[in-house]
Amino acid sequence: MDATGGDVMSISFWQDDTQPGDVVTADVIIVGAGISGASAAWWLKDAGLKVVVLDKGDICAGASGKNAGFITCGSVEHFNRQMERMGVEDALTLWKMSQDNIDLIEELLVEDGLECDFARKGTYSLAGTERELVELKETCDTLVGLGVKVEWVEREQVARDLRAEHFTGGVLYQDDGEVHPVKLVRGILERSGARFFPNHEVHDITSTGDTVTVKTQRATFEGTLCVLATNGYSHHVHSWFRDKIYPTRGQIIVTEPVAPFLPAPCYANFVLDYFRQLPDGRVLIGGFRQLEKETEVGTADEPSLVIHEALETFLHKHFPHLRGVKIDYRWAGIMGFSVDGLPMIGALPGQQNVFFLGGYTAHGIGWGFKAGQLLSKAILEGEQPPIISARRLH
């Protein structure tokens, strides 16, 4: 059975340099070397399996190398919205799974010596309007009642502690953290023991009986299982993902270093916009996708002049002391937004030896390591994850 679903790949006949003898064998072939692929390899490392990881570029060539480095609990929606949609029990289960993600990163990786600029000072969610303030206060009260570590922050405290203007208050989510995402993923992949093959663009995946054959322009890989860790690029690999995971562009700018002033990362505008100060003093800000929502789609990581100007305007409005600060970096990255806003883990319908994980909807670092654990349980024990099993979409 052709696992690519008849999709058109980007490797031409002329670029295919494989020879009949260029076959690499493994137990598990992972496609994608971002947070998902590295984490899947890490969680499979003690199962006695030979694992290889392929990527069309290098480690973190996609969203894992172009995100803001937030490790947050929850999902793309404020908790109260998620609770209204799925009920308090499922919403809390979802929250606890994402909290487990950061706990596992801290306990199994950071405390074991992985250097990745990890810090756990919480994240602020700030209100710019009275409507958002009311919703944030309701969310805060709900989470306090459920035993989640959150703290309400008044307008005056925001102005004093963050040196920020024009915010009406907010919530401090105390369990959240931040990280250098590339250092994190590199460390995870190195510790997994998997063999990494960079610059191997997959153009064919065929599942026949108990064997999966994955072809790149440089080699052929044969194994028992395949894991698609391709997130926003998943529809390039199989047509099943076309109406399940949508490639969505995010925009980020980073300033030159300035004196420290932000104690923790921040969200604003119903988590659509976000900013943090990096360890060297630079200020990172991203978001404003809503300004060009119709065009901020697809897999071309093109910076948007309109959005980048809006990011600078936002920065100068809320932090006047940053006016005149030079912008040193500008970039765009491709995220995978799922059809229902939740991650998905499972196997392709009718192909029980081709697994996948992704659809984090702008929360890949906040979910990826835990997703790798849940995927490994699905592979090794047949255990389906609660809430985020892809069976909900079949």
Side-chain angles (χ1 to χ4, degrees):
M1 182 179 293
D2 182 6
T4 62
D7 288 304
V8 177
M9 299 295 182
S10 59
I11 295 297
S12 75
F13 171 80
W14 317 110
Q15 295 170 318
D16 187 352
D17 291 331
T18 55
Q19 301 298 319
D22 294 340
V23 177
V24 179
T25 59
D27 295 305
V28 183
I29 305 163
I30 299 175
V31 182
I35 184 67
S36 294
S39 297
W42 193 94
W43 285 103
L44 291 170
K45 65 183 174 59
D46 296 327
L49 300 172
K50 181 181 178 181
V51 180
V52 298
V53 178
L54 324 177
D55 199 284
K56 69 179 292 184
D58 206 338
I59 297 174
C60 292
S64 294
K66 296 188 174 183
N67 65 83
F70 286 50
I71 315 178
T72 53
C73 300
S75 66
V76 70
E77 296 281 11
H78 285 320
F79 183 84
N80 273 23
R81 293 189 183 186
Q82 200 68 269
M83 186 177 66
E84 290 173 3
R85 174 183 164 193
M86 59 178 20
V88 63
E89 183 176 348
D90 283 354
L92 188 58
T93 297
L94 196 70
W95 183 280
K96 289 181 176 178
M97 281 195 290
S98 62
Q99 183 174 320
D100 199 28
N101 178 78
I102 189 170
D103 289 342
L104 290 168
I105 288 173
E106 184 172 23
E107 294 165 10
L108 300 180
L109 301 172
V110 176
E111 292 179 3
D112 192 47
L114 197 161
E115 297 288 342
C116 57
D117 299 339
F118 178 89
R120 198 165 186 180
K121 302 174 184 177
T123 62
Y124 290 90
S125 188
L126 303 174
T129 66
E130 288 301 318
R131 182 172 70 90
E132 186 173 10
L133 188 71
V134 170
E135 184 167 339
L136 280 175
K137 187 64 169 69
E138 292 173 350
T139 296
C140 181
D141 291 344
T142 298
L143 289 171
V144 168
L146 292 170
V148 176
K149 293 170 62 178
V150 296
E151 176 188 335
W152 182 248
V153 183
E154 298 289 353
R155 179 199 299 263
E156 296 76 17
Q157 187 177 346
V158 172
R160 182 187 69 239
D161 295 348
L162 278 63
R163 293 184 63 187
E165 300 182 4
H166 306 296
F167 291 115
T168 55
V171 181
L172 174 61
Y173 296 92
Q174 296 169 301
D175 279 327
D176 289 354
E178 57 192 302
V179 73
H180 187 307
V182 175
K183 289 181 180 179
L184 174 66
V185 174
R186 281 177 180 161
I188 294 171
L189 187 55
E190 288 170 1
R191 289 161 180 253
S192 75
R195 187 178 176 189
F196 178 47
F197 292 82
N199 304 310
H200 276 256
E201 183 171 355
V202 172
H203 65 86
D204 184 73
I205 303 174
T206 304
S207 174
T208 306
D210 295 331
T211 302
V212 179
T213 302
V214 178
K215 295 182 179 180
T216 76
Q217 82 279 27
R218 302 174 65 185
T220 297
F221 298 82
E222 292 184 353
T224 305
L225 299 173
C226 178
V227 173
L228 305 179
T230 44
N231 202 28
Y233 302 87
S234 295
H235 69 291
H236 285 173
V237 182
H238 196 283
S239 59
W240 185 82
F241 295 104
R242 285 178 178 166
D243 60 354
K244 312 292 190 311
I245 300 179
Y246 300 98
T248 306
R249 194 158 44 241
Q251 304 282 343
I252 288 178
I253 61 175
V254 175
T255 72
E256 64 182 328
V258 299
F261 70 96
L262 268 181
C266 303
Y267 283 103
N269 192 18
F270 296 95
V271 304
L272 288 172
D273 310 318
Y274 45 90
F275 48 94
R276 58 179 286 218
Q277 191 163 25
L278 306 183
D280 67 354
R282 299 178 189 275
V283 178
L284 176 154
I285 177 171
F288 279 88
R289 187 179 62 85
Q290 65 272 22
L291 295 182
E292 295 191 311
K293 191 173 182 179
E294 299 303 317
T295 57
E296 285 293 277
V297 295
T299 54
D301 52 356
E302 300 172 354
S304 162
L305 179 61
V306 170
I307 293 177
H308 283 209
E309 288 180 349
L311 292 172
E312 290 189 61
T313 299
F314 179 95
L315 203 61
H316 299 158
K317 172 185 175 181
H318 293 286
F319 303 98
H321 63 283
L322 296 181
R323 290 172 184 164
V325 171
K326 186 165 67 76
I327 305 300
D328 280 352
Y329 295 88
R330 301 177 182 272
W331 72 80
I334 307 305
M335 305 169 286
F337 276 42
S338 73
V339 66
D340 60 1
L342 302 181
M344 59 184 74
I345 297 170
L348 286 176
Q351 299 178 65
Q352 295 305 304
N353 55 355
V354 181
F355 290 82
F356 59 86
L357 68 171
Y360 304 118
T361 314
H363 284 69
I365 303 299
W367 273 96
F369 195 59
K370 178 65 176 180
Q373 182 195 41
L374 295 172
L375 178 78
S376 72
K377 289 183 177 181
I379 290 174
L380 301 174
E381 303 169 20
E383 180 180 332
Q384 292 298 310
I387 316 297
I388 60 173
S389 169
R391 289 184 178 179
R392 72 187 189 273
L393 304 173
H394 289 181

